[in-house]
């Protein structure tokens, strides 16, 4: 770790909905803006590329089929030209980028988060372990290899998406890795406004804040918002207009004591939140409560965590190699005993 005090940024802005290349263009401008203000890390919300699939909450699945092909075609592949453009702007501006995106891999899509370092190298590309509710009609699952905290030049950096922040065991797996800076990607909070409190900004910004306190870490929580353009595209009935009102941007940045470090932007306006952070302050928070350290009771409760990738196809050579390695491990234990 080289930097212990620096500025972080949370973007509150909409993508160019269902247009990957135009959204990349907009992202580049926002990254450059954050860098010009001295930020060392800039983050974007859940599925920012090419936009969160709001239609899944607004109508029957059959009505949403009209969006399947354009959404698939505008999802981003790792290693693609668009991915490389993000790497280049990060390198050119000497800034870390945390990007929420819909990942296309083969014939499937995943809710994903990309982290690129200030030299333009990809640190990680992780997937949401379990899409929430109707998200499962669009996206596949991640696995334990997606619960990773990475050592970087700006500290131990991790990421979760949306309601993963309501999953106690997943959070605990992250806390156990001594995360210092957390990228919390959210999709925005105007959906079912006044009708489903659990989906609103009060609950979900609170989830980000609690994560900061529980994990004794900084939380950078960007959100998109519903613009008039997105609203006009998706809301073709009065009921849909009620279900998905304008705005819903509630980006936040929290310190390891739960304090709010940046003045919020009005929920219906685009902008970037900034905050100066000092990783040294984490030691003070951890002195009071280190959830997977001195404040834990492993004699009472423990987490069973499988961090290995789970793939649907394993080559015979890999399978046999795994069996051989396991056999050697068992033999070694028997010899030792």
């Amino acid at each position: 770790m080289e930097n212990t005090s620096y500025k972080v940024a949370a973007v509150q802005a909409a993508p160019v909905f269902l247009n990957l290349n135009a959204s990349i263009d907009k992202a580049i401008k926002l990254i450059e803006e954050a860098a010009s203000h001295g930020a060392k890390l800039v983050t974007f919300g859940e599925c920012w590329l090419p936009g969160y699939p709001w239609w899944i909450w607004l109508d029957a699945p059959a009505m949403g089929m009209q969006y399947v092909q354009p959404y698939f075609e505008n999802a981003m592949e790792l290693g693609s030209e668009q991915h490389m453009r993000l790497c280049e702007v990060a390198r050119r501006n000497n800034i870390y980028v945390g990007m929420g995106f819909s990942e296309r891999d083969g014939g499937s899509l995943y809710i994903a988060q990309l982290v690129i370092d200030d030299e333009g190298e990809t640190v990680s590309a992780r997937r949401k372990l379990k899409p929430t509710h109707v998200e499962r009609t669009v996206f596949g699952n991640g696995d334990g290899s997606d619960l990773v905290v990475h050592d970087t030049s700006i500290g131990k950096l991790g990421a979760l998406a949306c309601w993963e922040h309501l999953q106690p065991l997943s959070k605990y797996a992250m806390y156990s890795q001594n995360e210092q800076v957390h990228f919390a990607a959210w999709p925005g909070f105007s959906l079912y406004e006044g009708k489903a409190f659990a989906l609103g900004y009060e609950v979900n910004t609170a989830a980000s804040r609690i994560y900061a306190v529980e994990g004794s870490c900084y939380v950078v929580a960007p959100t998109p918002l519903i613009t008039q353009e997105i609203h006009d595209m998706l809301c073709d009935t009065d009921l849909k207009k009620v279900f998905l009102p304008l705005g819903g941007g509630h980006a936040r940045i929290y310190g390891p004591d739960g304090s709010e470090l940046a003045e919020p932007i009005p929920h219906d306006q685009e902008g970037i939140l900034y905050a100066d952070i000092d990783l040294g302050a984490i030691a003070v928070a951890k002195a009071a409560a280190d959830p997977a350290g001195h404040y834990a009771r492993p004699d009472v409760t423990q987490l069973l965590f499988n961090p290995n990738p789970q793939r649907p196809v394993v080559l015979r050579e890999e399978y046999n190699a795994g069996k051989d390695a396991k056999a050697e491990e068992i033999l070694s234990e028997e010899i030792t005993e």
Side-chain angles (χ1 to χ4, degrees):
M1 181 175 62
E2 301 168 6
N3 304 288
T4 58
S5 298
Y6 54 90
K7 184 174 292 185
V8 297
V11 171
Q12 180 173 301
V16 182
F17 199 64
L18 298 186
N19 189 324
L20 177 59
N21 288 323
S23 294
I24 292 287
D25 291 341
K26 184 171 182 177
I28 287 172
K29 292 178 181 178
L30 290 164
I31 293 166
E32 291 173 339
E33 179 181 343
S36 72
H37 282 78
K40 192 63 180 173
L41 167 68
V42 59
T43 58
F44 294 76
E46 185 180 37
C47 295
W48 203 86
L49 298 172
Y52 182 84
W54 293 108
W55 61 85
I56 59 179
W57 298 90
L58 301 178
D59 214 327
M63 298 302 293
M65 293 302 293
Q66 62 186 302
Y67 297 106
V68 169
Q69 183 174 344
Y71 196 68
F72 183 84
E73 291 174 348
N74 282 276
M76 189 171 74
E77 290 185 325
L78 294 176
S80 65
E81 173 190 351
Q82 293 84 6
H83 178 188
M84 293 303 102
R85 289 184 67 196
L86 292 175
C87 290
E88 173 56 23
V89 71
R91 183 199 64 78
R92 193 171 64 245
N93 289 274
N94 192 37
I95 189 171
Y96 276 71
V97 175
M99 176 59 72
F101 71 110
S102 293
E103 179 192 354
R104 186 176 72 220
D105 184 11
S108 295
L109 300 179
Y110 302 89
I111 296 174
Q113 290 166 277
L114 178 67
V115 176
I116 301 167
D117 70 16
D118 54 2
E119 296 181 350
E121 298 296 325
T122 297
V123 175
S124 69
R126 54 96 48 191
R127 295 170 176 171
K128 188 175 183 179
L129 264 68
K130 190 73 175 179
T132 303
H133 203 265
V134 290
E135 289 175 356
R136 295 169 206 162
T137 65
V138 178
F139 301 105
N141 294 334
D143 59 39
S145 67
D146 295 302
L147 294 178
V148 179
V149 173
H150 299 271
D151 278 313
T152 75
S153 64
I154 59 172
K156 294 181 180 294
L157 182 60
L160 292 177
C162 198
W163 269 17
E164 288 187 302
H165 296 89
L166 273 62
Q167 285 281 18
L169 302 184
S170 296
K171 292 195 296 179
Y172 198 71
M174 299 293 285
Y175 300 158
S176 72
Q177 299 173 63
N178 295 311
E179 187 178 22
Q180 294 173 303
V181 181
H182 180 72
F183 164 30
W186 297 92
F189 307 118
S190 71
L191 181 71
Y192 301 170
E193 187 176 77
K195 299 169 181 61
F197 192 79
L199 301 180
Y201 80 92
E202 296 97 337
V203 168
N204 294 291
T205 55
S208 291
R209 176 173 249 156
I210 288 298
Y211 192 99
V213 176
E214 285 183 342
S216 300
C217 62
Y218 289 94
V219 172
V220 188
T223 61
L225 67 158
I226 299 300
T227 61
Q228 189 66 57
E229 179 185 10
I230 296 172
H231 193 262
D232 291 345
M233 184 183 301
L234 297 178
C235 300
D236 55 359
T237 68
D238 290 340
L239 183 58
K240 290 180 184 179
K241 292 175 183 178
V242 172
F243 280 168
L244 191 67
L246 298 173
H250 292 275
R252 296 289 190 272
I253 302 174
Y254 295 110
D257 61 351
S259 58
E260 195 161 339
L261 302 182
E263 184 69 25
I265 300 170
H267 77 95
D268 57 352
Q269 295 181 22
E270 295 193 338
I272 304 177
L273 271 66
Y274 298 96
D276 293 311
I277 69 172
D278 177 7
L279 301 187
I282 292 174
V284 178
K286 291 274 191 183
D290 186 1
H294 68 77
Y295 204 48
R297 281 293 305 273
D299 56 320
V300 180
T301 57
Q302 291 181 315
L303 171 65
L304 178 62
F305 173 36
N306 178 9
N308 297 314
Q310 303 297 307
R311 293 175 294 170
V313 177
V314 179
L315 299 179
R316 182 190 296 270
E317 293 80 3
E318 295 175 303
Y319 177 72
N320 289 336
K323 287 202 304 181
D324 292 343
K326 185 63 176 178
E328 290 180 6
E329 178 184 342
I330 293 173
L331 180 60
S332 175
E333 291 176 353
E334 290 177 348
I335 292 174
T336 302
E337 291 174 357

